[in-house]
Coordinates of all heavy atoms in Angstrom, one line a residue:
M19 N 6.1 -69.0 226.3 CA 5.5 -68.2 225.2 C 5.6 -66.7 225.6 O 5.5 -66.3 226.7 CB 4.0 -68.6 225.2 CG 3.3 -67.9 224.0 SD 1.5 -68.4 223.9 CE 1.8 -69.9 223.1
T20 N 5.9 -65.9 224.6 CA 6.1 -64.5 224.8 C 4.6 -63.8 224.9 O 3.7 -64.5 224.3 CB 6.9 -63.9 223.7 OG1 7.0 -62.5 224.0 CG2 6.3 -64.1 222.3
N21 N 4.5 -62.7 225.5 CA 3.3 -62.0 225.5 C 3.3 -60.8 224.4 O 2.3 -59.9 224.5 CB 3.0 -61.4 226.9 CG 2.5 -62.5 227.7 OD1 1.9 -63.5 227.2 ND2 2.6 -62.4 229.0
D22 N 4.3 -60.7 223.6 CA 4.3 -59.7 222.6 C 3.1 -59.9 221.6 O 2.9 -61.0 221.1 CB 5.6 -59.8 221.8 CG 5.6 -58.8 220.6 OD1 5.7 -57.6 220.9 OD2 5.7 -59.4 219.5
L23 N 2.3 -58.9 221.5 CA 1.0 -59.1 220.7 C 1.2 -59.4 219.3 O 0.5 -60.3 218.7 CB 0.2 -57.7 220.8 CG -0.4 -57.4 222.1 CD1 -1.1 -56.1 222.1 CD2 -1.3 -58.5 222.6
A24 N 2.2 -58.9 218.7 CA 2.5 -59.2 217.3 C 3.0 -60.7 217.2 O 2.4 -61.4 216.3 CB 3.6 -58.3 216.6
T25 N 3.7 -61.2 218.1 CA 4.2 -62.6 218.1 C 3.0 -63.4 218.3 O 2.8 -64.5 217.7 CB 5.3 -62.8 219.1 OG1 6.3 -62.0 218.8 CG2 5.7 -64.2 219.2
L26 N 2.1 -63.1 219.3 CA 1.0 -63.9 219.6 C 0.0 -64.0 218.4 O -0.5 -65.0 218.1 CB 0.2 -63.3 220.9 CG 0.9 -63.6 222.1 CD1 0.2 -62.8 223.3 CD2 1.0 -65.0 222.5
M27 N -0.2 -62.9 217.7 CA -1.1 -62.8 216.5 C -0.4 -63.8 215.4 O -1.2 -64.6 214.8 CB -1.1 -61.4 215.9 CG -2.0 -60.5 216.7 SD -3.7 -61.0 216.7 CE -4.1 -60.8 215.0
R28 N 0.8 -63.8 215.2 CA 1.4 -64.7 214.2 C 1.3 -66.2 214.7 O 0.8 -67.0 214.0 CB 2.9 -64.4 214.1 CG 3.2 -63.2 213.1 CD 4.6 -63.1 212.8 NE 5.5 -63.0 213.9 CZ 5.7 -61.8 214.6 NH1 5.2 -60.8 214.2 NH2 6.5 -61.8 215.6
Q29 N 1.4 -66.5 216.0 CA 1.3 -67.8 216.6 C -0.1 -68.2 216.6 O -0.4 -69.5 216.3 CB 1.8 -67.9 218.0 CG 3.3 -67.7 218.1 CD 3.9 -67.6 219.4 OE1 3.1 -67.4 220.4 NE2 5.2 -67.8 219.6
A30 N -1.1 -67.3 216.7 CA -2.5 -67.7 216.6 C -2.9 -68.3 215.2 O -4.0 -68.9 215.1 CB -3.4 -66.6 217.0
Q31 N -2.1 -67.9 214.2 CA -2.4 -68.3 212.8 C -1.6 -69.6 212.4 O -1.6 -70.0 211.3 CB -2.2 -67.2 212.0 CG -3.2 -66.0 212.2 CD -2.9 -64.8 211.5 OE1 -2.2 -64.9 210.4 NE2 -3.3 -63.7 211.9
D32 N -0.8 -70.1 213.4 CA 0.1 -71.2 213.1 C -0.6 -72.4 212.7 O -1.8 -72.7 213.0 CB 1.0 -71.5 214.4 CG 2.2 -72.3 214.1 OD1 2.1 -73.5 214.0 OD2 3.2 -71.6 213.8
D33 N 0.1 -73.3 211.9 CA -0.5 -74.6 211.5 C -0.6 -75.5 212.6 O -1.4 -76.5 212.5 CB 0.4 -75.1 210.3 CG 0.1 -74.4 209.0 OD1 -0.8 -73.7 208.8 OD2 1.1 -74.5 208.2
D34 N 0.2 -75.4 213.7 CA 0.2 -76.2 214.8 C -1.0 -75.8 215.7 O -1.0 -74.7 216.3 CB 1.4 -76.1 215.6 CG 1.5 -77.0 216.8 OD1 0.5 -77.5 217.3 OD2 2.5 -77.0 217.5
P35 N -2.1 -76.6 215.8 CA -3.3 -76.3 216.5 C -3.0 -75.9 218.0 O -3.7 -75.0 218.5 CB -4.2 -77.4 216.3 CG -3.5 -78.5 215.6 CD -2.2 -78.0 215.2
L36 N -2.2 -76.6 218.7 CA -1.9 -76.4 220.1 C -1.2 -75.0 220.3 O -1.5 -74.3 221.2 CB -1.1 -77.5 220.7 CG -1.8 -78.8 220.9 CD1 -0.8 -79.9 221.5 CD2 -3.0 -78.5 221.8
L37 N -0.2 -74.8 219.5 CA 0.5 -73.4 219.5 C -0.6 -72.3 219.2 O -0.6 -71.4 219.9 CB 1.6 -73.3 218.5 CG 2.3 -72.0 218.5 CD1 3.0 -71.7 219.8 CD2 3.4 -72.0 217.3
A38 N -1.4 -72.5 218.2 CA -2.4 -71.5 217.9 C -3.4 -71.4 219.0 O -3.8 -70.2 219.4 CB -3.1 -71.9 216.6
L39 N -3.9 -72.4 219.7 CA -4.8 -72.3 220.8 C -4.1 -71.6 222.0 O -4.8 -70.8 222.6 CB -5.3 -73.7 221.2 CG -6.3 -74.3 220.4 CD1 -6.6 -75.8 220.7 CD2 -7.6 -73.6 220.5
H40 N -2.9 -71.9 222.3 CA -2.2 -71.3 223.4 C -2.1 -69.7 223.2 O -2.3 -69.0 224.1 CB -0.8 -71.8 223.7 CG -0.9 -73.1 224.3 ND1 -1.3 -73.3 225.6 CD2 -0.6 -74.4 223.9 CE1 -1.1 -74.6 226.0 NE2 -0.7 -75.3 224.9
A41 N -1.7 -69.4 222.0 CA -1.5 -68.0 221.5 C -2.9 -67.3 221.6 O -3.0 -66.2 222.1 CB -0.9 -67.9 220.1
T42 N -4.0 -67.9 221.1 CA -5.2 -67.3 221.1 C -5.7 -67.0 222.5 O -6.3 -66.0 222.8 CB -6.3 -68.2 220.4 OG1 -5.8 -68.4 219.1 CG2 -7.7 -67.6 220.4
T43 N -5.5 -68.0 223.4 CA -5.9 -67.7 224.9 C -5.1 -66.7 225.4 O -5.6 -65.8 226.2 CB -5.7 -69.1 225.6 OG1 -6.4 -70.2 225.1 CG2 -5.9 -69.0 227.1
A44 N -3.8 -66.6 225.1 CA -3.0 -65.5 225.7 C -3.4 -64.1 225.1 O -3.5 -63.1 225.9 CB -1.4 -65.7 225.3
L45 N -3.8 -64.1 223.9 CA -4.3 -62.9 223.4 C -5.7 -62.4 224.0 O -5.9 -61.3 224.3 CB -4.6 -63.1 221.8 CG -3.4 -63.0 220.9 CD1 -3.8 -63.5 219.5 CD2 -2.9 -61.5 220.8
R46 N -6.5 -63.4 224.2 CA -7.8 -63.1 224.9 C -7.5 -62.5 226.3 O -8.2 -61.5 226.7 CB -8.7 -64.3 224.9 CG -10.1 -64.0 225.6 CD -11.0 -65.2 225.6 NE -10.8 -66.3 224.9 CZ -10.3 -67.5 225.5 NH1 -9.9 -67.4 226.9 NH2 -10.0 -68.5 224.8
H47 N -6.6 -63.1 227.0 CA -6.3 -62.6 228.3 C -5.8 -61.2 228.3 O -6.1 -60.3 229.2 CB -5.3 -63.5 229.1 CG -6.0 -64.8 229.5 ND1 -6.9 -64.9 230.5 CD2 -5.8 -66.1 229.1 CE1 -7.3 -66.2 230.6 NE2 -6.7 -67.0 229.7
E48 N -4.9 -60.9 227.4 CA -4.3 -59.7 227.2 C -5.3 -58.6 226.8 O -5.3 -57.5 227.3 CB -3.1 -59.8 226.2 CG -2.4 -58.4 226.1 CD -1.7 -57.9 227.3 OE1 -1.6 -58.6 228.3 OE2 -1.3 -56.8 227.3
I49 N -6.3 -59.0 225.9 CA -7.3 -58.0 225.5 C -8.2 -57.7 226.7 O -8.5 -56.6 226.9 CB -8.1 -58.6 224.3 CG1 -7.2 -58.6 223.0 CG2 -9.3 -57.8 224.1 CD1 -6.7 -57.4 222.5
E50 N -8.6 -58.7 227.5 CA -9.4 -58.5 228.6 C -8.6 -57.6 229.6 O -9.3 -56.7 230.2 CB -9.7 -59.8 229.3 CG -10.8 -60.6 228.4 CD -11.0 -61.9 229.0 OE1 -10.5 -62.4 230.0 OE2 -11.8 -62.7 228.3
R51 N -7.4 -57.8 229.9 CA -6.6 -56.9 230.7 C -6.7 -55.5 230.3 O -6.8 -54.6 231.0 CB -5.2 -57.5 230.9 CG -4.4 -56.7 232.0 CD -2.9 -57.0 231.9 NE -2.3 -56.6 230.6 CZ -1.9 -55.2 230.4 NH1 -2.2 -54.4 231.4 NH2 -1.4 -54.8 229.3
L52 N -6.4 -55.3 229.0 CA -6.4 -53.9 228.4 C -7.6 -53.3 228.5 O -7.7 -52.1 228.8 CB -5.9 -54.0 226.8 CG -4.4 -54.3 226.7 CD1 -4.2 -54.6 225.2 CD2 -3.5 -53.2 227.1
E53 N -8.8 -54.1 228.2 CA -10.1 -53.4 228.3 C -10.4 -53.0 229.8 O -10.9 -51.9 230.0 CB -11.1 -54.5 227.9 CG -12.5 -53.9 227.9 CD -13.6 -54.9 227.4 OE1 -13.8 -54.9 226.2 OE2 -14.1 -55.6 228.3
A54 N -10.0 -53.8 230.8 CA -10.1 -53.4 232.2 C -9.4 -52.1 232.4 O -9.9 -51.3 233.2 CB -9.7 -54.6 233.0
V55 N -8.2 -52.0 232.0 CA -7.4 -50.7 232.2 C -8.1 -49.6 231.5 O -8.2 -48.5 232.2 CB -6.0 -50.9 231.6 CG1 -5.2 -49.6 231.5 CG2 -5.2 -52.0 232.3
Q56 N -8.6 -49.7 230.3 CA -9.3 -48.6 229.7 C -10.6 -48.2 230.4 O -10.9 -47.0 230.4 CB -9.5 -49.0 228.1 CG -8.3 -49.1 227.4 CD -7.3 -48.0 227.5 OE1 -7.7 -46.9 227.7 NE2 -6.0 -48.3 227.5
V57 N -11.3 -49.2 230.9 CA -12.6 -48.9 231.6 C -12.2 -48.2 232.9 O -12.9 -47.1 233.2 CB -13.4 -50.2 232.0 CG1 -14.4 -49.9 232.9 CG2 -13.9 -50.8 230.6
R58 N -11.2 -48.6 233.6 CA -10.8 -47.9 234.7 C -10.4 -46.4 234.5 O -10.7 -45.5 235.2 CB -9.6 -48.7 235.4 CG -9.3 -48.2 236.9 CD -8.3 -49.2 237.5 NE -7.4 -49.9 236.8 CZ -7.3 -51.2 236.3 NH1 -8.3 -51.9 236.7 NH2 -6.2 -51.6 235.6
R59 N -9.6 -46.3 233.4 CA -9.2 -45.0 233.0 C -10.4 -44.1 232.6 O -10.5 -42.9 233.0 CB -8.3 -45.0 231.8 CG -6.9 -45.5 232.1 CD -6.0 -45.5 230.9 NE -5.8 -44.2 230.5 CZ -5.5 -43.8 229.2 NH1 -5.6 -44.7 228.3 NH2 -5.3 -42.5 228.9
A60 N -11.3 -44.6 232.0 CA -12.6 -43.9 231.6 C -13.3 -43.5 232.8 O -13.9 -42.4 232.9 CB -13.5 -44.8 230.7
R61 N -13.5 -44.3 233.8 CA -14.2 -44.0 235.0 C -13.5 -42.9 235.8 O -14.1 -41.9 236.3 CB -14.3 -45.2 235.9 CG -15.3 -46.2 235.4 CD -16.8 -45.7 235.3 NE -17.3 -45.4 236.7 CZ -18.3 -44.7 237.0 NH1 -19.0 -44.0 236.0 NH2 -18.7 -44.4 238.2
V62 N -12.1 -43.0 235.9 CA -11.3 -42.0 236.6 C -11.5 -40.7 235.8 O -11.5 -39.6 236.5 CB -9.8 -42.4 236.7 CG1 -8.9 -41.2 237.0 CG2 -9.7 -43.6 237.5
A63 N -11.6 -40.7 234.5 CA -11.8 -39.4 233.8 C -13.3 -38.9 233.9 O -13.6 -37.9 233.3 CB -11.5 -39.8 232.3
G64 N -14.1 -39.7 234.6 CA -15.5 -39.2 234.8 C -16.6 -39.7 233.8 O -17.7 -39.1 233.8
L65 N -16.2 -40.5 232.9 CA -17.2 -41.1 231.9 C -18.3 -41.9 232.7 O -18.0 -42.6 233.7 CB -16.6 -41.8 230.9 CG -16.1 -41.1 229.7 CD1 -14.7 -40.4 230.1 CD2 -15.8 -41.9 228.5
A66 N -19.5 -41.9 232.2 CA -20.6 -42.6 232.7 C -20.6 -44.1 232.3 O -20.0 -44.3 231.2 CB -21.9 -42.0 232.4
W67 N -21.1 -44.9 233.1 CA -21.1 -46.3 232.7 C -21.8 -46.5 231.3 O -21.5 -47.3 230.5 CB -21.9 -47.1 233.7 CG -21.1 -47.4 235.0 CD1 -21.4 -46.9 236.2 CD2 -19.9 -48.1 235.1 NE1 -20.5 -47.3 237.1 CE2 -19.6 -48.1 236.4 CE3 -19.1 -48.8 234.2 CZ2 -18.4 -48.7 236.9 CZ3 -18.0 -49.5 234.6 CH2 -17.6 -49.3 236.1
S68 N -22.8 -45.7 231.0 CA -23.5 -45.8 229.7 C -22.6 -45.4 228.6 O -22.7 -46.0 227.5 CB -24.8 -44.9 229.7 OG -24.5 -43.7 230.0
Q69 N -21.7 -44.4 228.8 CA -20.8 -44.1 227.7 C -19.7 -45.2 227.5 O -19.4 -45.5 226.3 CB -20.0 -42.8 228.1 CG -20.9 -41.6 228.1 CD -20.2 -40.3 228.7 OE1 -19.8 -40.4 229.9 NE2 -19.9 -39.3 227.9
I70 N -19.4 -45.7 228.6 CA -18.4 -46.9 228.5 C -19.0 -48.1 227.8 O -18.4 -48.7 226.9 CB -17.8 -47.3 229.9 CG1 -17.0 -46.0 230.5 CG2 -16.9 -48.5 229.7 CD1 -16.7 -46.2 231.9
A71 N -20.1 -48.4 228.2 CA -20.9 -49.5 227.5 C -21.1 -49.3 226.1 O -20.9 -50.2 225.3 CB -22.3 -49.7 228.2
D72 N -21.4 -48.1 225.7 CA -21.6 -47.8 224.2 C -20.3 -48.0 223.5 O -20.3 -48.7 222.4 CB -22.0 -46.3 224.0 CG -23.5 -46.1 224.4 OD1 -24.2 -47.1 224.4 OD2 -23.9 -45.0 224.5
A73 N -19.2 -47.7 224.1 CA -17.9 -47.8 223.5 C -17.5 -49.3 223.3 O -16.9 -49.6 222.4 CB -16.8 -47.0 224.2
I74 N -17.8 -50.1 224.4 CA -17.5 -51.5 224.3 C -18.5 -52.3 223.4 O -18.3 -53.3 222.9 CB -17.5 -52.0 225.7 CG1 -16.4 -51.4 226.5 CG2 -17.3 -53.5 225.8 CD1 -16.3 -51.8 227.9
G75 N -19.8 -51.8 223.4 CA -20.8 -52.5 222.6 C -21.6 -53.4 223.5 O -22.1 -54.5 222.9
V76 N -21.8 -53.2 224.7 CA -22.6 -54.0 225.6 C -23.6 -53.1 226.4 O -23.5 -51.9 226.2 CB -21.7 -54.8 226.7 CG1 -20.7 -55.7 225.9 CG2 -20.9 -53.8 227.5
S77 N -24.4 -53.7 227.1 CA -25.4 -52.9 227.9 C -24.6 -52.2 229.1 O -23.6 -52.7 229.5 CB -26.5 -53.7 228.4 OG -26.1 -54.6 229.4
K78 N -25.3 -51.2 229.6 CA -24.7 -50.5 230.8 C -24.7 -51.4 232.0 O -23.7 -51.5 232.8 CB -25.7 -49.3 231.2 CG -25.3 -48.5 232.3 CD -26.2 -47.4 232.7 CE -26.7 -47.4 234.1 NZ -27.6 -46.3 234.3
Q79 N -25.7 -52.3 232.1 CA -25.7 -53.3 233.2 C -24.5 -54.3 233.0 O -23.9 -54.6 234.1 CB -27.0 -54.0 233.2 CG -28.2 -53.2 233.7 CD -28.7 -52.3 232.5 OE1 -28.5 -52.4 231.3 NE2 -29.6 -51.4 232.8
A80 N -24.3 -54.7 231.9 CA -23.2 -55.7 231.7 C -21.8 -55.1 232.0 O -21.0 -55.8 232.7 CB -23.2 -56.2 230.3
V81 N -21.6 -53.9 231.5 CA -20.2 -53.3 231.9 C -20.2 -53.0 233.3 O -19.1 -53.2 233.9 CB -20.0 -52.0 230.9 CG1 -20.8 -50.9 231.4 CG2 -18.5 -51.8 230.9
H82 N -21.2 -52.6 233.9 CA -21.2 -52.3 235.4 C -20.9 -53.6 236.2 O -20.2 -53.5 237.2 CB -22.4 -51.5 235.9 CG -22.3 -51.0 237.3 ND1 -22.8 -51.7 238.3 CD2 -21.7 -50.0 237.7 CE1 -22.6 -51.0 239.4 NE2 -21.9 -50.0 239.1
K83 N -21.6 -54.6 235.8 CA -21.5 -55.9 236.5 C -20.1 -56.4 236.4 O -19.5 -56.9 237.4 CB -22.5 -56.9 235.9 CG -22.4 -58.3 236.6 CD -23.4 -59.2 236.1 CE -23.3 -60.5 236.7 NZ -24.3 -61.5 236.1
K84 N -19.5 -56.3 235.2 CA -18.1 -56.8 234.9 C -17.0 -56.0 235.6 O -16.1 -56.5 236.2 CB -17.9 -56.9 233.5 CG -16.5 -57.6 233.2 CD -16.4 -57.8 231.7 CE -15.1 -58.7 231.4 NZ -15.0 -59.0 230.0
Y85 N -17.2 -54.7 235.6 CA -16.1 -53.7 236.0 C -16.5 -52.9 237.2 O -15.6 -52.3 237.8 CB -15.6 -52.8 234.9 CG -15.1 -53.6 233.8 CD1 -15.8 -53.7 232.5 CD2 -13.9 -54.3 233.8 CE1 -15.3 -54.4 231.5 CE2 -13.4 -55.0 232.8 CZ -14.1 -55.0 231.6 OH -13.5 -55.7 230.5
G86 N -17.8 -52.8 237.6 CA -18.2 -51.9 238.6 C -17.8 -52.3 240.1 O -17.7 -51.3 240.9
R87 N -17.5 -53.4 240.3 CA -17.3 -53.8 241.7 C -15.8 -54.1 242.0 O -15.5 -54.9 242.9 CB -18.2 -55.0 242.1 CG -19.6 -54.7 242.0 CD -20.5 -55.8 242.4 NE -21.9 -55.3 242.3 CZ -22.7 -55.7 241.4 NH1 -22.3 -56.6 240.5 NH2 -24.0 -55.3 241.3
R88 N -15.0 -53.6 241.1 CA -13.5 -54.0 241.3 C -12.8 -53.0 242.3 O -13.1 -51.9 242.3 CB -12.8 -54.0 240.0 CG -13.3 -55.1 239.2 CD -12.5 -55.3 237.9 NE -13.0 -56.6 237.4 CZ -12.3 -57.1 236.4 NH1 -11.3 -56.6 235.8 NH2 -12.7 -58.2 235.9

């Protein structure tokens, strides 16, 4: 299975439920990876945990717990 986001989006809407599930899982993993990269970039740029949390839509504690100890 390819990791091209456009392809995965099409596959996630496929009539074949197994193909759609695999694509949906791959999309979730890629989105989580991208979010981690952006959080790391935000921290390097000097943004506070509260600013990052607001952007993600979670509490400061949640974002710090998920990304703060990496």
Side-chain angles (χ1 to χ4, degrees):
M19 179 178 291
T20 180
N21 281 338
D22 174 66
L23 292 177
T25 301
L26 289 173
M27 286 295 295
R28 283 189 300 278
Q29 291 173 344
Q31 299 172 18
D32 198 272
D33 289 335
D34 177 351
L36 286 178
L37 178 62
L39 283 168
H40 285 293
T42 301
T43 300
L45 280 167
R46 183 176 351 98
H47 288 290
E48 183 62 12
I49 293 297
E50 289 173 2
R51 186 192 70 75
L52 289 170
E53 183 176 271
V55 168
Q56 297 307 327
V57 168
R58 193 168 37 254
R59 289 182 65 213
R61 288 298 292 163
V62 168
L65 275 76
W67 286 114
S68 58
Q69 292 174 294
I70 296 167
D72 285 344
I74 296 175
V76 299
S77 71
K78 178 178 130 180
Q79 291 79 11
V81 75
H82 188 264
K83 180 178 180 182
K84 186 171 183 178
Y85 298 108
R87 296 185 182 104
R88 291 188 170 193

